[in-house]
Amino acid sequence: MFHRVTDASKVALWALTELCFADGAADRLIDVQWQTAHLASLGIREISRADYLTRLSRALVLPLPATLATTAG
């Protein structure tokens, strides 16, 4: 991630989370690919590949959250 302001990446991840989960769809997922100490401090957790693939198949059939669908034009 690139940023010029300290902790900007934390704010960006928080904002993305707010947008993605605003509709309450529990099956949404944000794939950060690597668990780092920094990301762990923000609440991410590592899951098994099998669990990931199951969750991904459920997430892929969901419509975009309304807040993202209007900007995805």
Side-chain angles (χ1 to χ4, degrees):
M1 289 185 192
F2 173 81
H3 57 82
R4 295 179 186 208
V5 178
T6 301
D7 294 330
S9 63
K10 292 176 184 172
V11 174
L13 185 58
W14 170 81
L16 175 64
T17 302
E18 289 291 308
L19 289 172
C20 285
F21 298 100
D23 62 1
D27 286 336
R28 296 201 189 283
L29 124 97
I30 298 174
D31 181 354
V32 297
Q33 301 200 357
W34 298 103
Q35 181 175 356
T36 64
H38 172 71
L39 291 172
S41 75
L42 299 175
I44 69 104
R45 59 190 168 94
E46 190 171 316
I47 60 174
S48 70
R49 178 176 173 75
D51 190 17
Y52 172 76
L53 292 174
T54 299
R55 290 173 183 228
L56 181 61
S57 67
R58 289 194 311 249
L60 288 174
V61 298
L62 293 171
L64 285 175
T67 52
L68 293 177
T70 58
T71 60

